[in-house]
Amino acid sequence: MEEEGVQPPAAPGIDVFFALEDGAQRSEVARIVADLRRAGVSAESDHAGRSLKGQLTQAGRLGAARTVVVTAEKAILRAPGAADEQVLLGELVGRLVP
């Protein structure tokens, strides 16, 4: 492809990345990630124990279309070009499945 001057297709990004602050309900987030995957949504969360800043950087590296920042009390849904939106954890699957 290089010899022909054709660029390979870009690797597809993921649909949603969960960044967790200290005190976030990790087991609940794991359940949500599993539910999203069953519904055909590509979802990931941090497993390396990165700082919030590091997790957001990882979301960018993965090409996440949306990022959910989960705190002890709330979830904040972030999408490029849109204002941050607070969402209850129980409502995330319904909001993120097309």
Side-chain angles (χ1 to χ4, degrees), residues 46-72:
D46 179 64
H47 301 285
R50 294 177 182 94
S51 67
L52 181 60
K53 181 178 177 182
Q55 292 177 69
L56 295 174
T57 299
Q58 182 66 12
R61 283 188 196 122
L62 293 173
R66 293 186 233 175
T67 303
V68 178
V69 177
V70 182
T71 71

Side-chain angles (χ1 to χ4, degrees), residues 14-18 59 64-68 77-80 95-97:
I14 63 170
D15 296 318
V16 62
F17 184 88
F18 287 83
R66 293 186 233 175
T67 303
V68 178
L77 180 59
R78 293 181 170 178
R95 295 291 309 276
L96 295 170
V97 174

Side-chain angles (χ1 to χ4, degrees), residues 87-98:
V87 180
L88 297 173
L89 282 177
E91 297 175 355
L92 279 171
V93 173
R95 295 291 309 276
L96 295 170
V97 174

